[in-house]
């Protein structure tokens, strides 16, 4: 692509769009951890369909075959206290005895998978999310890791990650997590300003977080990640800049900077947020611009959409080498693989299908008592879905789509098949978001800033659905 931007070059500076462009592009849209997105899953797709997808993998029918490593996501939904901004599937309780029956249910679900796939399937990526996985005791986490290790084979190079609420761990717990085999850790920080923390009911001391970061590094965790959110109540441009600079000084390997999506009609805890204290659209834009500038000045590389990484981190290396991927946990260095989702509400992907478990504990437990997979809904991808997914993920991960490579991979001439979409890209090209020529499509630095808007051009479902309030806003 001689006339396109160099895909391997890291983005050092992001051109901030002007107000008119922001007003035009700042609308609700998917984050594209999958395509089609989870809101398109249907209840007609259930346990039998999922079992069939697993059997196809076991028989080597799927394109990846039976020997390609798996990814596993385990959802641990319990939290001791509610964070008002949270949109995750969680259960607020101080009764830690609720973990025992949940662990027993997870063991049943794992056994069902072993019954179809056989024991010892290789796993290259394991992620514990929530909720707060560290709600479980060290012994309970050890029990769960033991069950997983007896059912699957964790490869020597496997990424084994856990999300951590800093308020639930200390140095001793971090050492225990490392001894259990976790080599990647993600701290949910969100914001360091005490006033903002009180407004969202998540108070945590900056010095404590700094100490945990230093301890994690000393223990040899392969990667440390910090999650931040902008657009929270009481935040200002200056307070966000302070949080970013303080976090960057701690040198986490990766940072995820998310835009807060205020959807109180969907997520009950958000109704406790004072809407008058939320920053307006202009302030959010300036917060994001300030955060991006601060991270880049601190030596971080912009990975895409809302992720930053130090230059020597595997995610930054993968971006430069064109090996970046995206799954339900966000950007990843792992090649596209079948994903098993374990636990209430967990999402998985097997071959050309997606699945999601029951969203409530009673439904989840009931399915397992009946000896069936607790899948409540899912989707089998059509040929059109597969083609659109390929384009969207290429844009989200590599920032480019090469027409010749696409034709070789899918036996489809992209300019012909997506002629209408290419026509709809014209205004975005005029706005400076994307370059299109005879050889392909490529995002500009400005386009990376608004990559979701570019990807949405190829989303057949988003175009057909005018009710987009269930998605977060692009800015």
């Amino acid at each position: 692509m001689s006339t396109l931007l160099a895909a391997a070059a890291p983005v050092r500076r992001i051109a901030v769009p002007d107000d008119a462009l922001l007003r035009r592009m700042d609308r609700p849209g998917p984050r594209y951890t999958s395509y089609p997105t989870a809101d398109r899953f249907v209840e007609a797709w259930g346990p039998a369909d999922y079992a069939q997808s697993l059997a196809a993998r076991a028989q080597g029918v799927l394109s990846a075959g039976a020997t390609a490593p798996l990814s596993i996501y385990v959802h641990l939904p319990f939290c001791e206290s509610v964070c008002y901004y949270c949109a995750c599937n969680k259960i607020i309780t101080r009764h830690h005895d609720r973990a025992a029956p949940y662990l027993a249910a997870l063991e049943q679900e794992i056994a069902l998978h072993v019954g179809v796939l056989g024991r010892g399937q290789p796993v290259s990526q394991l992620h514990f999310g929530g909720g707060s996985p560290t709600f479980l005791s060290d012994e309970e986490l050890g029990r769960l890791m033991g069950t997983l290790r007896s059912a699957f084979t964790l490869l020597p190079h496997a990424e084994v990650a856990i999300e951590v609420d800093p308020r639930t761990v200390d140095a001793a717990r971090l050492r225990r997590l490392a001894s259990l085999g976790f080599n990647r850790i993600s701290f949910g920080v969100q914001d360091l300003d005490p006033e903002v923390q009180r407004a969202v009911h998540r108070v945590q001391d900056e010095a404590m977080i700094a100490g945990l970061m230093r301890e994690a590094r000393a223990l040899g965790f392969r990667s440390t990640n910090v999650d931040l959110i902008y657009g929270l109540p009481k935040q200002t441009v200056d307070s966000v800049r302070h949080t970013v600079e303080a976090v960057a000084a701690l040198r986490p390997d990766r940072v995820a900077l998310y835009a807060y999506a205020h959807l109180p009609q969907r997520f009950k805890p958000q109704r406790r947020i004072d809407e008058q204290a939320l920053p307006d659209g202009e302030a959010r834009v300036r917060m994001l611009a300030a955060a991006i500038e601060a991270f880049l000045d601190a030596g971080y590389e912009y990975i895409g959409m809302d992720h930053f990484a130090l230059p020597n981190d595997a995610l930054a290396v993968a971006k430069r080498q064109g090996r970046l991927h995206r799954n339900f946990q966000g950007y990843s260095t792992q090649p596209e693989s079948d994903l098993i989702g374990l636990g209430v509400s967990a999402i998985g992907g097997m071959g050309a299908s997606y699945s999601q478990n029951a969203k409530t504990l009673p439904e989840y437990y009931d399915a397992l008592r009946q000896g069936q997979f607790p899948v409540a809904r899912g989707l089998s991808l059509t040929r059109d879905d597969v083609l659109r997914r390929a384009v969207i993920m290429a844009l989200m991960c590599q920032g480019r789509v090469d027409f010749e490579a696409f034709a070789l991979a899918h036996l489809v001439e992209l300019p012909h098949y997506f002629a209408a979409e290419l026509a709809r890209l014209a205004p975005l090209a005029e706005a400076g978001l994307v370059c299109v020529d005879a050889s392909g499509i490529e995002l500009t630095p400005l386009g990376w800033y608004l990559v979701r808007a570019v990807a949405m051009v190829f989303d057949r479902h988003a175009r057909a659905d005018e009710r987009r309030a269930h998605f977060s806003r692009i800015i």
Side-chain angles (χ1 to χ4, degrees), residues 242-292:
H242 165 77
T243 289
V244 169
E245 291 175 348
V247 167
L250 296 175
R251 310 309 284 169
D253 300 279
R254 302 174 184 178
V255 179
L257 175 67
Y258 298 112
Y260 170 61
H262 189 60
L263 301 170
Q265 69 277 17
R266 290 188 59 199
F267 306 112
K268 188 175 180 180
Q270 294 187 357
R271 299 172 194 172
R272 303 187 189 185
I273 285 178
D274 178 8
E275 294 190 357
Q276 299 302 313
L278 290 171
D280 61 21
E282 181 182 353
R284 287 167 62 96
V285 170
R286 289 191 286 116
M287 288 175 187
L288 179 56
I292 291 174

Side-chain angles (χ1 to χ4, degrees), residues 82-88 90 167 188-191 196-197 199-202 204 229 232-233 260-263 267 269-270 273:
V82 65
C83 302
Y84 297 163
Y85 58 80
C86 186
C88 299
K90 70 277 184 186
R167 300 169 299 177
V189 173
Q190 322 315 347
D191 192 279
V196 176
Q197 291 180 357
V200 297
H201 201 239
R202 190 185 178 98
Q204 47 196 3
I229 300 176
L232 293 173
Y260 170 61
H262 189 60
L263 301 170
F267 306 112
Q270 294 187 357
I273 285 178

Side-chain angles (χ1 to χ4, degrees), residues 99-111 143 361 364-365 368 374:
Y102 190 73
L103 284 174
L106 283 173
E107 290 167 353
Q108 288 179 268
E109 189 179 3
I110 292 168
R143 169 183 165 184
L361 278 184
Y364 177 71
Y365 288 156
L368 290 168

Side-chain angles (χ1 to χ4, degrees), residues 295-329:
F295 276 126
L296 297 180
D297 285 345
Y300 283 83
E301 293 188 3
Y302 179 66
I303 301 303
M305 197 164 70
D306 44 31
H307 283 66
F308 301 83
L310 292 174
N312 61 348
D313 182 76
L315 208 59
V317 174
K319 170 72 178 293
R320 293 195 295 271
Q321 296 177 348
R323 298 185 293 102
L324 201 62
H325 297 275
R326 190 163 175 80
N327 58 29
F328 288 106
Q329 279 72 60

Side-chain angles (χ1 to χ4, degrees), residues 352-412:
S353 69
Y354 295 129
S355 62
Q356 183 173 28
N357 282 351
K359 292 185 177 182
T360 69
L361 278 184
E363 293 172 308
Y364 177 71
Y365 288 156
D366 185 60
L368 290 168
R369 277 194 294 268
Q370 296 179 46
Q372 65 181 21
F373 289 104
V375 172
R377 60 186 192 135
L379 187 71
S380 291
L381 276 64
T382 65
R383 171 68 168 160
D384 180 73
D385 290 335
V386 171
L387 295 175
R388 292 178 185 276
R389 178 175 67 174
V391 174
I392 288 171
M393 292 305 169
L395 289 170
M396 297 292 292
C397 297
Q398 281 75 49
R400 61 175 291 172
V401 184
D402 183 281
F403 293 162
E404 183 178 357
F406 188 89
L408 290 172
H410 300 283
L411 303 179
V412 168

Side-chain angles (χ1 to χ4, degrees), residues 48-88:
D49 301 286
Y50 182 66
Q52 186 175 359
S53 295
L54 286 177
R57 174 187 167 86
Q59 295 163 12
V61 174
L62 302 185
S63 58
T67 59
L70 286 163
S71 291
I72 297 177
Y73 171 74
V74 184
H75 191 72
L76 302 168
F78 303 107
C79 295
E80 282 196 1
S81 65
V82 65
C83 302
Y84 297 163
Y85 58 80
C86 186
C88 299

Side-chain angles (χ1 to χ4, degrees), residues 55-282:
R57 174 187 167 86
Q59 295 163 12
V61 174
L62 302 185
S63 58
T67 59
L70 286 163
S71 291
I72 297 177
Y73 171 74
V74 184
H75 191 72
L76 302 168
F78 303 107
C79 295
E80 282 196 1
S81 65
V82 65
C83 302
Y84 297 163
Y85 58 80
C86 186
C88 299
N89 184 296
K90 70 277 184 186
I91 297 167
I92 308 302
T93 180
R94 292 185 178 275
H95 297 287
H96 285 254
D97 55 354
R98 295 189 67 178
Y102 190 73
L103 284 174
L106 283 173
E107 290 167 353
Q108 288 179 268
E109 189 179 3
I110 292 168
L112 288 174
H113 283 85
V114 171
V116 178
L117 294 173
R119 195 171 296 276
Q121 286 273 311
V123 172
S124 62
Q125 189 176 44
L126 174 61
H127 186 102
F128 282 20
S132 298
T134 43
F135 177 93
L136 273 64
S137 68
D138 293 343
E139 292 72 21
E140 288 166 337
L141 287 171
R143 169 183 165 184
L144 179 53
M145 285 296 291
T147 300
L148 289 165
R149 289 182 183 279
S150 68
F152 303 97
T153 298
L154 275 181
L155 298 176
H157 62 274
E159 294 184 358
V160 186
I162 186 168
E163 298 172 9
V164 169
D165 179 344
R167 300 169 299 177
T168 65
V169 299
D170 55 17
R173 285 216 79 185
L174 291 183
R175 285 193 294 273
R176 178 58 175 160
L177 293 177
S179 72
L180 290 174
F182 292 102
N183 52 39
R184 295 181 180 271
I185 192 165
S186 180
F187 293 103
V189 173
Q190 322 315 347
D191 192 279
L192 294 176
D193 186 277
E195 188 175 2
V196 176
Q197 291 180 357
R198 287 190 291 271
V200 297
H201 201 239
R202 190 185 178 98
V203 177
Q204 47 196 3
D205 183 67
E206 183 174 340
M208 174 194 70
I209 294 169
L212 292 173
M213 290 284 297
R214 288 192 294 269
E215 184 65 25
R217 186 172 291 108
L219 288 168
F221 279 90
R222 193 184 303 171
S223 179
T224 55
N225 177 82
V226 166
D227 286 344
L228 300 176
I229 300 176
Y230 73 93
L232 293 173
K234 302 290 187 179
Q235 277 183 332
T236 66
V237 175
D238 287 340
S239 74
V240 169
R241 185 182 290 111
H242 165 77
T243 289
V244 169
E245 291 175 348
V247 167
L250 296 175
R251 310 309 284 169
D253 300 279
R254 302 174 184 178
V255 179
L257 175 67
Y258 298 112
Y260 170 61
H262 189 60
L263 301 170
Q265 69 277 17
R266 290 188 59 199
F267 306 112
K268 188 175 180 180
Q270 294 187 357
R271 299 172 194 172
R272 303 187 189 185
I273 285 178
D274 178 8
E275 294 190 357
Q276 299 302 313
L278 290 171
D280 61 21
E282 181 182 353

